[in-house]
Amino acid sequence: MIEKVEEKQRPVSGLDRYFKISERGSTVGRELRGGLATFFTMAYIVVLNPLIIGTVADKDGQFLGDLTQPGASIPLVAAATALVAGVLTLGMGVIGRYPFAMATGLGLNAVVAFGIASGMSWEDAMGIVVLEGLVITVLVLTGFRVAVFHAIPTELKTAIAVGIGLFIALIGFVDAGFVRRIPGAAGEGTVPLQLGGTGSLSGWPTLVFVVGLLVTVLLVARKVKGAILIGIVATTVLAIVVEWLADVGPYVKGVDAAGKPVINPDGWQLGVPALPDKIAGSPDLSLLGDFSLFGSFERVGVVAALLFVFTVMLADFFDTMGTTVGVGAEAGLLDDKGDLPGVRNVLLVDSLGAAAGGAASVSSNTTYIESAAGVAEGARTGLASVVTGGLFLVAMFFAPLVGVVPFEAATPALVVVGFLMMTQIRNIDFGDYDVAIPAFLMIVLMPFSYSITVGIGAGFISYVVIKAFRRRFAEIHPLMWLIAALFVLYFALDPVKSLLGVG
């Protein structure tokens, strides 16, 4: 007790008071390490987002920026992706004051590229994203989004965190190529995934991943400070040396005469770890503001446009909720009810991020589950996000250098963080089937469906159905009925579209 009193009387700086560094049991050093770890774990988005939305043509055959050549918009998307991620993550740190980083949402960008832009222009598609972000912002300002956050039972919030842990571990294994899809598995294989490309491990990149995972695991087991960041940096150095000696090359080497990709099965999954010829350059930000707010209504009709907005909004709404609960729980920042104090500011910045991503033509920005990497390094406050955001702004000028870190060097951190988040499963009472079954569905469907939203939806619907079947209506929060109904609509979206006669 005496020690605690003395600690409270110890003078702190304005920086400490604002970010509550000492109050949350952290230090400036931990926040700096955490911010670095989060950045290096999610910096791949600066490379990956351009490959997803910068290489897909819209209905008019145009690429982002009204370009006609595939790949020409990649540097534009990379620069805008880093800029928006940097500004929003800084905002999350200063306003939200939690160690959450933001960037273009994976999955959401694929929906925009392949499910929306294919039926309209890129400007119209990004207008859909802006509208979705504005709607969610209104829901935050009216208190609805926060109310939903508080309506979820504590054990289901824990299940969200556990499911995300399993999900990001799978992401780590898949992105590293340690686990891969079986060719033709849809009709031939017993399972859709397998070990490596042929059922066994091969290739230098896989060895780099395995070594990186072992190094990170050993450092974490020894509770070495900066373990995850050290693992990322050390594995990247190893990858550069391996590429220099073995000349492995990328997984996709190019295209053949028929336009089909030429695969190097033992190549690096994304970036090739070699020091670039050009380290820095002036970013081209011409994509900013290149959107049409209501163009989609004229292009595909009001009903279809509203359905597109609803689809993106629901996924964005609950992805963020799952991430904040999961990462917040891992950091020990949740209260006794499983809620995040001051969550309104976090959700507000996140909601504005969706609109900002659309306005910058980089798709909806959302809070990243990779923030857990920084938390694992000791980050507990928004100062870590300030560090991560600043590095994203620097990355806007040093995009070639950011691309040096290959998936095989960054993904061991995801696997280890997945383990750390999975440990919260001990807080779920599996003897109470009313909660245990929905929790189980959440945990397994997130990785099995490769979607946080799908897992959350299945858990919420089953929770309401089970409670109602057992006539325990008083235990169902009124908002849970509404949420479950919305998820039923979400899962039945294709039949609803067919019924309404929209594409």
Side-chain angles (χ1 to χ4, degrees), residues 30-343:
R30 290 178 185 174
E31 298 302 311
L32 294 176
R33 287 199 308 271
L36 285 167
T38 296
F39 172 75
F40 281 113
T41 306
M42 61 184 286
Y44 66 83
I45 192 61
V46 179
V47 179
L48 187 56
N49 192 44
L51 296 179
I52 293 176
I53 68 173
T55 58
V56 177
D58 60 19
K59 188 175 183 180
D60 301 325
Q62 298 288 310
F63 296 88
L64 277 166
D66 294 327
L67 299 172
T68 57
Q69 295 299 318
S73 61
I74 285 180
L76 282 68
V77 177
T81 298
L83 173 64
V84 177
V87 171
L88 291 174
T89 302
L90 282 171
M92 183 64 80
V94 174
I95 299 174
R97 304 192 200 184
Y98 280 107
F100 303 142
M102 294 185 64
T104 299
L106 285 174
L108 286 173
N109 57 0
V111 170
V112 173
F114 302 106
I116 299 180
S118 59
M120 60 187 77
S121 71
W122 271 110
E123 291 83 357
D124 297 338
M126 290 302 170
I128 291 279
V129 177
V130 174
L131 285 172
E132 172 261 332
L134 294 176
V135 171
I136 291 186
T137 301
V138 171
L139 294 179
V140 174
L141 294 175
T142 57
F144 179 78
R145 197 176 187 188
V146 178
V148 170
F149 190 92
H150 293 316
I152 302 170
T154 302
E155 289 189 303
L156 291 190
K157 290 176 181 175
T158 301
I160 291 173
V162 175
I164 289 176
L166 191 59
F167 180 40
I168 65 175
L170 177 61
I171 290 175
F173 283 120
V174 170
D175 285 351
F178 190 89
V179 173
R180 299 188 188 184
R181 183 184 301 276
I182 300 175
E188 301 171 12
T190 55
V191 292
L193 299 175
Q194 66 181 4
L195 181 66
T198 59
S200 62
L201 299 178
S202 64
W204 286 106
T206 301
L207 177 62
V208 168
F209 167 76
V210 172
V211 172
L213 180 58
L214 289 174
V215 168
T216 307
V217 165
L218 293 174
L219 291 173
V220 169
R222 289 289 301 272
K223 298 183 179 180
V224 175
K225 292 182 179 180
I228 291 177
L229 180 58
I230 293 172
I232 294 173
V233 174
T235 310
T236 299
V237 172
L238 174 62
I240 292 173
V241 173
V242 167
E243 174 61 22
W244 179 62
L245 293 174
D247 192 21
V248 177
Y251 180 74
V252 180
K253 299 179 68 174
V255 295
D256 58 21
K260 296 182 179 180
V262 177
I263 301 298
N264 171 20
D266 292 331
W268 302 99
Q269 288 295 309
L270 183 60
V272 176
L275 293 176
D277 297 330
K278 183 180 180 182
I279 295 179
S282 253
D284 185 338
L285 301 175
S286 59
L287 288 180
L288 272 63
D290 192 16
F291 69 96
S292 174
L293 194 59
F294 297 106
S296 58
F297 287 77
E298 298 179 2
R299 193 68 178 262
V300 298
V302 175
V303 175
L306 289 177
L307 284 174
F308 280 132
V309 171
F310 173 76
T311 302
V312 178
M313 182 186 72
L314 201 61
D316 208 357
F317 192 105
F318 287 99
D319 264 12
T320 297
M321 181 177 296
T323 299
T324 53
V325 169
V327 178
E330 178 60 28
L333 298 172
L334 304 185
D335 60 22
D336 294 338
K337 297 180 180 179
D339 296 328
L340 188 73
V343 71

